[in-house]
Amino acid sequence: MFARLLLCATLGAALAAPVRADDFLSDLAGCATTPIDAAKFATSDVKKAATFVVNHGECVPMVVGGDPILYGATGGFIVLQANGSLPTSYGACVDATLGQASQQVAGVLNAYVNTPPLSSVMPAAGKAKLAQIAQGKIQDGLYSVPGIAVVTERLDCACAVTSSGVNIDALKERIKTVVDGAGDCKKVLNKLVGGAYDTAKGAYSAGKAFVNSVGCSLGFGGCSSGPPLFCTGYFNMRDQGISHESLAQNLSAWFPEEVEKCEQKYANVVADRQKKAVADAEKKLFDQEMAKAEHLGAANALGFAFRWSKKCLDAECKSSIAKFADLYTADILNPETIQYYKTFKVAVAAMEKKYGALAEVALILSKKRVKKDLSAPAEVRLQAFDCVAFLGRPRQSLCPSSEGFAACRSYADGDRWDACASEGKVGIYSAGEALDRLVRRGGCIPERARSGSVSRLVARPVVTAQCLAARARNACEILRKGGSAVRCEGPVEIVRLDVNRYRVRRPILQAPPALRPMPVQPAPQPIPPPGRVAPTLRPALTPQSSTLCVFDAGPRAGQRQDYAPMAPLPVGTPCQDGRGSTGRVVAP
């Protein structure tokens, strides 16, 4: 026989769940809005540090946190700035890092390619290309390296540190002084120094649920009317692993209806828990992906801007790319974007495709504008025609279209460019002083044409090139075939007639027909008088050769010019520099 007793029992328990009670990002946002008066700090270094915090607040976490890539890049930048490879001002330094100073900066970064975060974030293709640029194997901008976006912010901060006027280790300590007096920023600094970035966690108590129930000899029950919180106790028992069958068997004598009702509710509770678990997992994933967007989104957009802006040929195109980068940033930081694409990686690929298509249009329009702009620099306008450096040489272009070749040739005629070549055609076009230089470089001696001899293509005197070897003649012929106003002669050799006279001797290409000699009686030789010996003919002295020219007339009178590695000429040979100065070859 069961005794009916009223018991008061506590069946609930305190629940705990992790939350972000102390949000680092929130503190950082508060710090960013804290006004800092740099003038109130006494010492010079502290003033510089305060200015650094005001102007480059995004770099503070990396400086104080001891980011290895930032510290390594800063040391390398100091060396590059000391030898003149990198500008010292912040703006110019940032502009040069991914562009004109790409090889030097790549050399700095290549030393840290196996250091986190580069080792884990940069793909193998990026590491390989970084090494190639550093070694000078390829001439490409650093912005084209896959995965370089992970360090672009660090490169900017390295420029900021080197232009601050304070050593990075001293800057770290001075920043502490500044931030200590800057309100909300002190909390951020404490986390940075302690390395607690976003690990702050908190817990909350769900309280305690007290339930009343009617006890029995089995230790569970409720009041005769059925307790309002009966199901709470039932749920706790089920959560402890007690089966419905067992509970129904023990409680059905007193509360059969309540047991079944609670079991139905419990099934709904379990389903709700499962849905919540799925929702929590999705939210956790969303939070993680959103955190990536907040941390890397702007860097990816900046990388987009660097890659495309370098391809622009005018300021209007660069302005368009900057606007696209701003839209890119806004899109990638929009929570709806991450919700739609699910992951940050997929979202970035979509943004690259979306804004890359717009950037392509901006580049096409940029080329059209620059093609029409006759006042644009020659090297920029030729890029608009897709002309590239011919064999990597400066002021020499290889153009894929006749339109581009015509533009290049017009610059060469105006002495604004050295040489032009057309893709798929043999020959190089050059004119003016540039033509003289190319002829000399090939191993020929240029001479101004006789009066009345001009090129059929342009109203320029034809340059007669006396080539000293067959190879030099071939190089000259390439210039002639390209339409250059040059006549190639030779190979020739310089023959010395006497001390002050020389002549050019051209080899006979085809021997004349042999003539049959007439028999001639030898003339009698005079007999020298007794006591005298016939003079002996001295062998001719081999003329001394040199590449050194001394000018005695013209703009460079009194000066010397060594024309090595051109072939040496006999001492006394007339020489000229192609600019009106004349002289003679002298012994070194």
Side-chain angles (χ1 to χ4, degrees):
M1 181 177 180
F2 295 102
R4 304 176 63 91
L5 302 174
L6 179 63
L7 301 177
C8 292
T10 300
L11 300 179
L15 304 177
V19 296
R20 251 179 217 188
D22 190 10
D23 189 349
F24 174 76
L25 294 179
S26 176
D27 289 342
L28 190 61
C31 173
T33 60
T34 300
I36 299 176
D37 181 10
K40 76 177 184 180
F41 298 102
T43 65
S44 175
D45 281 359
V46 175
K47 283 184 179 180
K48 293 176 182 178
T51 303
F52 183 87
V53 172
V54 172
N55 295 331
H56 306 288
E58 72 280 3
C59 302
V60 171
M62 286 184 281
V63 173
V64 181
D67 183 274
I69 302 302
L70 171 62
Y71 273 65
T74 299
F77 279 19
I78 291 173
V79 175
L80 295 180
Q81 289 173 346
N83 63 27
S85 301
L86 196 64
T88 55
S89 66
Y90 170 71
C93 175
V94 171
D95 291 341
T97 50
L98 301 184
Q100 65 187 36
S102 289
Q103 181 176 347
Q104 292 81 1
V105 176
V108 172
L109 292 179
N110 198 40
Y112 299 93
V113 75
N114 294 317
T115 302
L118 284 182
S119 59
S120 58
V121 179
M122 180 172 285
K127 296 178 181 178
K129 190 165 188 180
L130 186 68
Q132 289 178 318
I133 293 177
Q135 297 165 9
K137 293 182 179 179
I138 58 175
Q139 299 294 324
D140 207 348
L142 194 63
Y143 58 85
S144 66
V145 175
I148 198 65
V150 301
V151 294
T152 52
E153 185 179 8
R154 292 172 172 84
L155 298 182
D156 284 4
C157 289
C159 288
V161 171
T162 56
S163 63
S164 69
V166 185
N167 174 276
I168 190 168
D169 292 317
L171 182 62
K172 176 179 178 180
E173 298 304 317
R174 299 300 180 270
I175 287 176
K176 293 180 183 180
T177 303
V178 173
V179 178
D180 273 342
D184 288 344
C185 292
K186 187 172 183 179
K187 293 190 294 183
V188 177
L189 181 69
N190 291 336
K191 291 181 185 179
L192 291 174
V193 175
Y197 293 92
D198 63 345
T199 59
K201 295 181 179 179
Y204 68 92
S205 174
K208 296 181 179 181
F210 295 93
V211 295
N212 295 319
S213 62
V214 176
C216 64
S217 60
L218 299 177
F220 188 84
C223 59
S224 59
S225 61
L229 299 179
F230 177 84
C231 285
T232 302
Y234 182 87
F235 293 167
N236 288 335
M237 291 293 186
R238 292 288 278 120
D239 288 341
Q240 293 174 21
I242 302 175
S243 67
H244 165 62
E245 291 76 10
S246 176
L247 291 175
Q249 181 180 359
N250 293 317
L251 301 175
S252 60
W254 297 283
F255 307 107
E257 295 181 359
E258 282 78 1
V259 169
E260 295 305 320
K261 288 179 181 179
C262 290
E263 180 61 27
Q264 293 176 3
K265 291 180 180 180
Y266 185 72
N268 295 333
V269 168
V270 172
D272 290 343
R273 288 176 180 174
Q274 292 174 344
K275 291 180 182 179
K276 186 177 183 303
V278 172
D280 288 346
E282 292 178 349
K283 185 177 184 306
K284 182 179 180 181
L285 176 62
F286 171 79
D287 289 342
Q288 292 173 345
E289 297 302 318
M290 199 63 218
K292 291 180 184 178
E294 292 173 353
H295 182 60
L296 299 175
N300 279 78
L302 181 62
F304 167 88
F306 272 118
R307 290 195 307 275
W308 288 100
S309 182
K310 300 296 182 182
K311 300 177 184 179
C312 286
L313 301 180
D314 60 358
E316 186 175 342
C317 173
K318 292 182 179 180
S319 177
S320 297
I321 297 299
K323 292 178 181 178
F324 296 154
D326 289 340
L327 294 174
Y328 185 133
T329 303
D331 266 358
I332 205 68
L333 295 179
N334 188 343
E336 293 183 359
T337 302
I338 301 300
Q339 287 177 343
Y340 181 81
Y341 292 106
K342 303 301 182 185
T343 68
F344 173 72
K345 182 178 181 180
V346 175
V348 167
M351 295 303 103
E352 290 284 345
K353 182 177 181 180
K354 174 182 177 180
Y355 291 105
L358 296 175
E360 288 281 5
V361 174
L363 292 183
I364 292 173
L365 296 177
S366 177
K367 285 185 177 181
K368 288 184 177 179
R369 287 191 297 270
V370 174
K371 283 182 180 180
K372 297 178 182 179
D373 184 7
L374 299 181
S375 65
E379 61 274 12
V380 176
R381 188 160 177 259
L382 289 177
Q383 286 184 50
F385 289 102
D386 296 322
C387 297
V388 298
F390 182 54
L391 300 178
R393 297 168 181 163
R395 291 175 61 90
Q396 298 189 26
S397 292
L398 174 64
C399 300
S401 65
S402 58
E403 185 183 17
F405 179 75
C408 180
R409 195 170 68 178
S410 68
Y411 288 126
D413 290 337
D415 291 329
R416 297 172 62 189
W417 211 245
D418 286 356
C420 307
S422 182
E423 199 170 274
K425 296 182 181 180
V426 177
I428 300 175
Y429 181 80
S430 185
E433 294 183 3
L435 177 59
D436 285 357
R437 289 195 297 272
L438 292 180
V439 168
R440 289 181 183 278
R441 191 179 301 160
C444 302
I445 303 173
E447 298 176 356
R448 287 299 162 191
R450 302 171 182 86
S451 61
S453 178
V454 297
S455 168
R456 293 186 227 173
L457 297 180
V458 293
R460 282 183 176 272
V462 176
V463 174
T464 301
Q466 303 290 349
C467 300
L468 304 180
R471 183 176 180 181
R473 173 68 180 268
N474 292 336
C476 179
E477 288 294 338
I478 291 176
L479 288 167
R480 185 188 64 79
K481 291 177 181 178
S484 304
V486 61
R487 180 188 296 111
C488 306
E489 296 187 357
V492 300
E493 59 179 319
I494 307 299
V495 180
R496 183 179 185 183
L497 300 178
D498 55 32
V499 176
N500 295 317
R501 290 191 307 148
Y502 299 86
R503 69 179 176 85
V504 174
R505 184 171 70 188
R506 295 169 176 79
I508 299 175
L509 301 180
Q510 183 176 358
L515 298 177
R516 182 175 298 173
M518 296 291 292
V520 178
Q521 294 294 334
Q525 297 293 328
I527 301 174
R532 296 184 64 184
V533 181
T536 305
L537 296 178
R538 295 181 179 178
L541 298 176
T542 303
Q544 186 178 6
S545 299
S546 172
T547 58
L548 186 64
C549 178
V550 175
F551 301 109
D552 52 22
R556 301 178 64 189
Q559 300 181 22
R560 295 189 174 199
Q561 175 68 47
D562 192 346
Y563 284 95
M566 292 180 60
L569 298 177
V571 172
T573 303
C575 54
Q576 60 180 351
D577 66 350
R579 291 184 290 176
S581 299
T582 59
R584 292 188 178 277
V585 176
V586 299

